[in-house]
Amino acid sequence: MNMLNIALPKGRLGEKVYDMFEKAGFACPSIKENNRKLIFENEACGVRYFWVKPSDVAIYVERGAADIGVAGKDILLEYAPDVYELYDLDIGKCRMAVAAKADFCDDPRRTLKVATKFSNIAKNYYDSLGRDIDIIHLNGSIEIAPILGLSDVIVDIVETGTTLKENNLAVVETIVPISARLIANKASFKFKNTQIEQIVQSIAAQTGEVK
Amino acid sequence: MMTPQDSVLKNEEKVIFALRSLYARYGYSQYKMSKFEEYDLYVQSKDFLISDSVITFTDTSGKLMALKPDVTLSILKNGKDAQGCVQKVYYNENVYRVSGGTHMFKEIMQVGLECIGDIDTYCLYEVLMLAAKSLATISERYVLDVSHLGILSAVLDHVGVPENDRKAALKCIGEKNVHELCALCSAAGMSAADTELLKQLISLYGKPAEVLPKLCALLDGRIDSTLLQEFCSVLEAFGGSAFYDKLRVDFSVVHDIGYYNGIVFKGFIEGIPSGVLSGGQYDKLLEKMGRKAGAIGFAVYLDLLERLQQSEAPYDADILLLYESGTDLGTLNAAIESLTKDGSSVMAQKEIPEKVRCKKRMKLTESGVETV
């Protein structure tokens, strides 16, 4: 049987997504065993799941190691992988936002210093505004950049805003809403079309929308 | 039976031979060109290129030159337009561009063809048929997605997608991203009926026999019927052939609408994660170059075929033949000739090299060749 390879993002979101796939008729009970395995297979259903780092899901799918996967819109916007974005799962919701110190006031005469993990998103956003910026690429603890004077603003994911508040920062602008998306490899979509369409339909039915 | 060529030639090399003879059979002549081109040529049509990064250098006369990132533009700049005639050429060239995955420059071997001039429905069919045959040459497990940018543009006009939103709308269509397309239509103030029409159009996917009647029913009376007629007649001309089953109508094939205007297509092979063939009708590019002609063509990306290669032979050679320094050249040569007679490969060495894998080790001694 032609197995369908599904890349799931490790963590709570991935577990939620797996439940949706299970309800859609693609169960793989071994995935719920408490162990360190990363690949799980259910030949009867024709599926193979694997847990990967959330930011790597799109790479697995684009390169065809996974036929489909679930990735956040933030990752899709940042890396622009050549994949189909088949469905908005409407979970893992948050937003990509510009945040700054509560008393921040933008001075358009100066180059804006922007600290972020999402350099492309920040660049595209400020390009669309015609604003000159200096991107400072960081890999974590972005929130401290404005506090220490490393940057004027940050571009980052905001879920509840608690971390921002605790660091005396506030959202200045929402760039784009984010949620988890079902993505598919373009070639796999052609050769495993029936299985992929079946998953999309079943998941759409679960979220109340019939495609 | 496997010929020595079968085992030695790489997949892409076998494909090149097969495709060149295929294109020549349909009257396409080979177009050979230089590796370099004046950079100016690409500045005019930068968006036509798959990647806008070009390797440039200054030649001895001070001109800014480029390592060719594309073949089509070089072919187009030289042709002459004549009523009723078409120039049919094929090429087999290396191009240099940034590969999507690695964001680094790569040398990509490309085979393709161009049909330039007075393009009629037969030319459209012939090029699409040769695209299908090209894919069939590589593997029998292939799919050729076909779309029509004239139809897509007409639908975007009909539903009134504002000019500013066209790029974003086409991006959504290319990603089969229905949810964001609907959000975009709603933000642009389009009616629910128009949004639904667009949604239905991009959700269409399948074999022509299943999709074309739905497409005609969906767009009947809404767009210029000659566009639909052209699309249907080209696809239906495949009816009854082995290729018909491999075609898929898919409006997510979206090439740059500023250059392409009619039928566009993309070919996929099972086992290769991205499209291996891409092409379409690009009359608008010729118009921009000041030519009074139409054109359609495609390219096959041979670098991707590496993934289809059978696992490498487990041995570097069938026989490792060891010989002593000072061995008579004639004796050594005769021993090798005799061992290779049955088609075996022989690697002659004085010492056993590290990591060399051979089925058999032999030694040339005074009494002849012995197995060791």
Side-chain angles (χ1 to χ4, degrees), chain B residues 119-130:
Chain B
I119 301 294
D120 60 5
T121 316
Y122 173 72
C123 295
L124 300 178
Y125 165 75
E126 182 182 86
V127 171
L128 199 59
M129 178 266 293
L130 286 171

Side-chain angles (χ1 to χ4, degrees), chain B residues 321-343:
Chain B
L321 179 67
L322 296 165
Y323 66 95
E324 303 280 342
S325 299
T327 302
D328 173 60
L329 193 58
T331 315
L332 177 58
N333 190 36
I336 293 171
E337 287 298 320
S338 141
L339 290 170
T340 52
K341 251 183 200 155
D342 66 350

Side-chain angles (χ1 to χ4, degrees), chain B residues 156-178:
Chain B
L156 293 178
D157 288 341
H158 173 78
V159 299
V161 174
E163 217 40 64
N164 287 344
D165 292 328
R166 290 270 165 124
K167 204 175 164 194
L170 287 168
K171 187 172 179 288
C172 291
I173 292 168
E175 292 171 351
K176 292 186 180 286
N177 189 341
V178 175

Side-chain angles (χ1 to χ4, degrees), chain B residues 102-123:
Chain B
T102 59
H103 302 290
M104 286 159 83
F105 277 105
K106 230 181 141 190
E107 184 179 55
I108 297 167
M109 194 186 283
Q110 203 171 287
V111 174
L113 60 81
E114 310 292 348
C115 185
I116 307 151
D118 197 352
I119 301 294
D120 60 5
T121 316
Y122 173 72
C123 295

